Amino acid sequence: MTGFWRGEEEDIVRLGLTPTVWETGQIELFERAAKSVGVSKHPIHLKVDSGMGRLGAAPEDLPRICAVLKSSPHLTLEGLSTHLASSEVLDEPSVAAQLQVFDEARELLRSEGFDPPLIHAAIRTP
């Protein structure tokens, strides 16, 4: 749940694991690691903080994150995720609000040329 520790990125790439990132510095670490290991396109997932207030990229940081992704030729954005604060309460208004923020983040990524094939949000269904 806390991601990875700095210094583990080359092992993660070498082992073929797919990390979740939410900061530009993490993307830069994996770009260097993939290049160093000799991997041409290592997959990463981007986590967006849609309102839970824990790990995840703030929506206002997404343009900068997209710029760093564009300058990372050894990485590919494979997934986009978020974590909902009250996913177990289906009629909780915050769930709809968080899903709206997540949809807006996905649209911003698309407008920047990214369309990750794996889109996932932690939501409980009956």
Side-chain angles (χ1 to χ4, degrees):
M1 295 296 287
T2 62
F4 61 94
W5 295 102
R6 187 180 179 103
E8 295 178 329
E9 53 277 356
E10 281 195 19
D11 288 336
I12 290 169
V13 171
R14 192 175 293 108
L15 292 169
L17 302 175
T18 304
T20 296
V21 299
W22 56 91
E23 296 174 345
T24 57
Q26 294 169 322
I27 297 166
E28 291 164 344
L29 286 172
F30 278 104
E31 169 60 21
R32 284 193 296 274
K35 182 178 180 181
S36 174
V37 171
V39 174
S40 62
K41 288 287 183 183
H42 190 77
I44 62 171
H45 287 217
L46 176 63
K47 184 173 183 182
V48 174
D49 181 359
S50 60
M52 187 166 186
R54 289 190 188 168
L55 301 178
E60 60 269 18
D61 293 339
L62 291 176
R64 174 74 182 127
I65 287 171
C66 287
V68 173
L69 284 169
K70 286 177 183 178
S71 67
S72 301
H74 296 89
L75 300 178
T76 184
L77 185 60
E78 178 187 63
L80 179 67
S81 70
T82 193
H83 192 135
L84 303 176
S86 298
S87 63
E88 71 280 0
V89 183
L90 296 178
D91 59 348
E92 170 65 37
S94 67
V95 171
Q98 281 190 263
L99 289 173
Q100 178 64 36
V101 169
F102 188 58
D103 286 343
E104 291 169 3
R106 186 177 183 191
E107 287 305 314
L108 187 142
L109 286 170
R110 281 184 178 151
S111 74
E112 292 284 342
F114 297 99
D115 194 14
L118 302 176
I119 308 297
H120 43 112
I123 186 164
R124 181 178 166 200
T125 57

